[in-house]
Amino acid sequence: MKYPQLTIFNYKIVYYALRIFSIYWLIDQYVKLSALSQRSGEIYEPIFWLQKIIFPEFPGMLLSVGLLVACGICIIASVFRPSYVLNILIFLLMAIINLPLSANFSVHHDNHLLILAYFLSIFLLPRDLEDKDYKLVQYFYLGILVTYSLAGMSKFLGTAKNIIKHTDKLTWLDKNAAKMNTYDSYWTADLAVPEWIKEVYAYENVWVMLTVGGIVLQLLCFLGAFNRKLLTFFMVFLYVFHMYTAKFVLADFENANYLLLVVFFPYHMLQPLFKRKETALA
């Protein structure tokens, strides 16, 4: 398949795969909301104005379940009858469900990527897409990938600023930057740093190269939106990057990792397998 056809082919599968994943996401949010509802109400502190307006207090489970069920119904309905209205409702409901979760301290939340994915795909209905519309899918990929590019740019500019101003702050070019970032995360969580992590960080020069290389790749993530091979490469890179942050920085990006696989997976590579089965059956 040529690139435009391949891009549309992959997105049409992404549309349905994303909704299957979203049902799992709703169940996961129920577990999180149920656990948080057991906390003291004093811990809950909305920060953003929208959180303060919609959820000045942590929502009761009846309301939470109602929102989750309503979102689930819209997701299932959008599988059988894709529409702009359903996509908008799913986006809004997911954003609302996430508000009380993101307002809780000490709770890792990585829901922004899924919410962003639904926002960017509101007008991308599989039945309406033709090969000539591949650029619309590119913008969908770009919107997700640019969040990582901006994070890489922030690290790059922050490092450059400290070097130019000759500050005494630790930069990502320092040998102990990655190690101290990990240690700080474990100390904040009141956990002892595992011995195997200490041994891994003993290779200081290697970690400087890995850190700089990681920042550069983060910065270049947006390029994956315009090339299928690069998109697959950055999918693998971001998956490994999230696995690193989970083990070394205690950042829980499990759902984000699943989402990356669902959205960026090269489904076209599986097409020959289906053709072989069809030939065997014939």
Side-chain angles (χ1 to χ4, degrees):
M1 285 187 288
K2 293 183 179 179
Y3 178 71
Q5 182 184 6
L6 180 148
T7 302
I8 296 299
F9 173 85
N10 279 312
Y11 177 77
K12 287 183 176 181
I13 298 178
V14 167
Y15 178 89
Y16 296 102
L18 182 61
R19 279 148 181 79
I20 294 172
F21 167 72
S22 297
I23 297 299
Y24 157 78
W25 180 85
L26 290 176
I27 296 172
D28 187 49
Q29 303 320 295
Y30 170 79
V31 173
K32 290 179 179 178
L33 288 166
S34 180
L36 290 172
S37 67
Q38 304 302 316
R39 289 186 171 193
S40 171
E42 297 177 354
I43 297 178
Y44 178 75
E45 185 176 344
I47 300 174
F48 304 112
W49 63 270
L50 196 58
Q51 292 171 334
K52 294 178 180 178
I53 292 174
I54 299 179
F55 294 116
E57 296 180 355
F58 192 79
M61 283 308 296
L62 182 61
L63 175 58
S64 297
V65 170
L67 291 170
L68 292 168
V69 170
C71 189
I73 292 173
C74 290
I75 290 170
I76 294 172
S78 70
V79 171
F80 298 100
R81 181 166 290 186
S83 75
Y84 303 144
V85 175
L86 286 173
N87 286 350
I88 292 172
L89 286 174
I90 294 170
F91 160 68
L92 291 176
L93 285 169
M94 284 188 166
I96 292 172
I97 290 168
N98 183 58
L99 286 176
L101 291 170
S102 61
N104 271 272
F105 294 104
S106 301
V107 176
H108 294 296
H109 54 92
D110 55 348
N111 297 333
H112 62 284
L113 284 181
L114 180 61
I115 297 169
L116 179 62
Y118 271 101
F119 174 74
L120 294 170
S121 62
I122 285 175
F123 301 108
L124 296 180
L125 303 183
R127 66 167 182 260
D128 296 335
L129 291 175
E130 300 178 3
D131 293 350
K132 62 182 178 62
D133 300 319
Y134 74 96
K135 288 187 177 181
L136 298 177
V137 178
Q138 285 184 324
Y139 294 137
F140 168 72
Y141 290 146
L142 181 63
I144 297 173
L145 289 170
V146 78
T147 62
Y148 291 97
S149 291
L150 290 174
M153 183 181 296
S154 176
K155 293 174 184 176
F156 176 80
L157 293 177
T159 300
K161 175 185 175 182
N162 288 322
I163 291 176
I164 293 172
K165 289 190 173 183
H166 301 288
T167 67
D168 57 355
K169 294 181 179 179
L170 191 71
T171 72
W172 291 109
L173 294 178
D174 292 314
K175 291 183 177 181
N176 293 322
K179 181 174 76 173
M180 292 310 300
N181 189 42
T182 294
Y183 281 26
D184 182 65
S185 296
Y186 272 85
W187 292 336
T188 301
D190 196 24
L191 294 172
V193 180
E195 287 299 322
W196 68 269
I197 287 183
K198 294 179 180 180
E199 293 175 4
V200 169
Y201 277 128
Y203 303 94
E204 296 178 342
N205 293 326
V206 172
W207 277 102
V208 173
M209 292 186 291
L210 288 175
T211 301
V212 173
I215 293 174
V216 171
L217 287 177
Q218 256 193 308
L219 185 62
L220 298 177
C221 272
F222 72 96
L223 295 176
F226 309 105
N227 183 282
R228 181 60 249 187
K229 290 182 179 179
L230 281 178
L231 184 60
T232 302
F233 169 78
F234 283 117
M235 178 193 73
V236 175
F237 162 70
L238 291 174
Y239 187 89
V240 173
F241 174 72
H242 282 161
M243 292 296 290
Y244 163 78
T245 57
K247 293 292 184 182
F248 288 78
V249 195
L250 302 179
D252 182 10
F253 283 103
E254 184 177 4
N255 283 341
N257 250 0
Y258 296 152
L259 178 69
L260 292 176
L261 294 178
V262 168
V263 173
F264 297 146
F265 190 83
Y267 294 101
H268 63 280
M269 294 179 65
L270 302 179
Q271 196 177 29
L273 297 178
F274 296 111
K275 288 184 176 179
R276 288 176 187 174
K277 289 183 179 180
E278 290 176 0
T279 303
L281 290 173

